């Protein structure tokens, strides 16, 4: 039942992309054709991805992707039984094609990590701290990129303990604060977590799960830190643990976390896995509304 599709990816990459490394761009164009979509928007896509490497690199990637598209469209024997719903009817390859295939303005493509950051920003976060540790690093990076327009202070500290204590200090002073880490870093934050519990400080912690024990595997997903998050810290104190499963839930969980933290003056943990953080999700813009005063 397998239908192999023979496309000379490397040859097309060398011919149109000037570099065999652009086989991925060729494959993108071929995949678009196979599922019945058009290549409109590729220029914008590759400009966003490779714009910092120069106009030539962007142009070569676009050319390679369009070559992959033509390789499928021009050879009528290739078809795919699973068609994605097209947002437009034009299959024109010319620059004059109507740009009807762009994603509608009422939808947003975001990663889970970006959704967590957006939710925190919508909730009024003012201080974001962290020490780089995947899969939570993307949250801090997104906040850093948009710090000026969102009115944020984003601080990469020298270690996880400092990140937690800095966020606690900011929260104790009245600023909505969030610290981002992974399971291994959260281990180091246990005393700080207990401090937030003892001082009744409304601190939000984003904790990304990855395989352990110890430092584990940074680029693999896992869901083994639930009990650890519930019972972490010495002594007993109340806390909430929220576990969003997709970008829509992540956006809402970030807002819920700040609302719960401030209402009950306690730390709140947003626990997520690497897959949720790094995967891309399509969400309705209407669902991304601030619900925290």
């Amino acid at each position: 039942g397998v239908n192999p599709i023979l496309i000379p990816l490397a040859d097309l990459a060398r011919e149109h992309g000037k570099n065999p490394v652009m086989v991925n761009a060729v494959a993108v164009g071929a995949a678009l054709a196979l599922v019945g979509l058009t290549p409109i928007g590729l220029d914008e896509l590759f400009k966003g991805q490779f714009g910092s490497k120069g106009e030539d690199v962007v142009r070569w990637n676009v050319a390679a992707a369009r070559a992959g598209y033509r390789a499928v469209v021009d050879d009528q024997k290739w078809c795919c039984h699973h068609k994605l719903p097209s947002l437009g009817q034009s299959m024109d390859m010319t620059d004059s094609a109507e740009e009807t295939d762009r994603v509608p303005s009422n939808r947003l493509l975001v990663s889970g990590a970006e959704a967590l950051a957006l939710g925190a920003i919508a909730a009024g976060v003012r201080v974001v701290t962290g020490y780089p540790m995947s899969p939570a690093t993307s949250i801090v990076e997104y906040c850093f990129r948009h710090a000026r327009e969102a009115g944020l202070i984003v601080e990469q500290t020298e270690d996880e303990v400092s990140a937690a204590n800095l966020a606690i200090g900011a929260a104790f002073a009245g600023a909505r604060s969030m610290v981002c880490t992974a399971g291994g870093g959260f281990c180091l934050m246990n005393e700080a977590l207990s401090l937030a519990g003892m001082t009744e400080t409304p601190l939000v912690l984003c904790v990304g799960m990855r395989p352990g024990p110890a430092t584990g595997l940074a680029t693999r997903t896992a869901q083994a830190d639930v009990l650890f998050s519930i019972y972490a810290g010495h002594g007993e104190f109340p806390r909430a643990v929220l576990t969003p499963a997709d970008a829509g839930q992540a956006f809402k969980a970030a807002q819920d976390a700040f609302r719960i933290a401030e209402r009950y003056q306690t730390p709140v943990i947003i626990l997520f896995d690497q897959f949720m953080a790094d995967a891309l999700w399509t969400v309705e813009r209407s669902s991304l509304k601030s619900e925290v005063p």
Side-chain angles (χ1 to χ4, degrees):
V2 176
N3 180 26
I5 301 173
L6 307 179
I7 300 174
L9 299 178
D11 291 341
L12 292 174
R14 278 190 289 266
E15 179 182 354
H16 299 277
K18 311 302 181 184
N19 193 322
V21 77
M22 295 183 184
V23 292
N24 286 339
V26 180
V28 167
L32 288 175
L34 287 169
V35 296
L37 297 182
T38 77
I40 291 176
L42 284 178
D43 302 61
E44 182 179 344
L45 172 68
F46 287 116
K47 184 177 181 180
Q49 186 72 24
F50 301 115
S52 62
K53 297 184 178 182
E55 295 182 2
D56 288 341
V57 174
V58 174
R59 185 173 65 257
W60 293 336
N61 272 280
V62 172
R66 289 178 177 269
Y69 181 89
R70 292 191 188 92
V72 175
V73 172
D74 294 346
D75 195 337
Q76 298 298 322
K77 67 180 179 179
W78 303 126
C79 65
C80 181
H81 297 294
H82 303 284
K83 300 291 185 182
L84 293 180
S86 178
L87 303 176
Q89 302 301 319
S90 175
M91 297 292 284
D92 192 354
M93 292 292 297
T94 66
D95 293 334
S96 61
E98 294 183 7
E99 306 226 349
T100 56
D101 276 8
R102 294 193 181 279
V103 176
S105 59
N106 64 327
R107 294 180 184 174
L108 189 66
L109 182 67
V110 295
S111 69
E114 291 172 341
L116 281 171
L118 284 169
I121 292 171
V125 67
R126 286 295 171 261
V127 177
V128 179
T129 68
Y131 180 80
M133 194 170 189
S134 299
T137 305
S138 299
I139 304 172
V140 181
E141 290 177 342
Y142 187 88
C143 290
F144 181 80
R145 289 198 301 271
H146 300 280
R148 185 182 299 275
E149 58 189 296
L152 305 178
I153 295 175
V154 182
E155 186 71 27
Q156 176 183 316
T157 59
E158 61 271 26
D159 53 46
E160 287 86 356
V161 176
S162 299
N165 287 332
L166 193 158
I168 289 173
F172 192 82
R176 292 183 176 178
S177 303
M178 178 174 72
V179 57
C180 304
T181 188
F186 186 52
C187 288
L188 301 174
M189 295 180 181
N190 268 230
E191 186 176 16
L193 177 69
S194 297
L195 174 62
M198 181 189 74
T199 57
E200 298 183 350
T201 301
L203 176 69
V204 173
L205 303 96
C206 290
V207 180
M209 293 180 286
R210 66 191 201 185
T215 54
L217 302 173
T219 58
R220 295 292 184 271
T221 196
Q223 297 180 338
D225 293 343
V226 177
L227 290 179
F228 173 46
S229 299
I230 293 174
Y231 297 109
H234 56 282
E236 294 184 351
F237 54 92
R239 94 280 303 275
V241 179
L242 310 180
T243 56
D246 57 38
Q249 292 181 15
F251 182 84
K252 187 175 186 303
Q255 297 187 75
D256 289 340
F258 282 97
R259 183 173 63 249
I260 294 170
E262 290 204 358
R263 179 174 181 180
Y264 297 103
Q265 296 293 288
T266 188
V268 176
I269 299 166
I270 304 175
L271 189 65
F272 59 94
D273 59 24
Q274 180 268 340
F275 174 79
M276 196 287 295
D278 292 346
L280 294 174
W281 310 81
T282 300
V283 297
E284 299 291 333
R285 287 181 182 270
S286 59
S287 66
L288 304 181
K289 295 181 179 179
S290 176
E291 299 177 355
V292 179

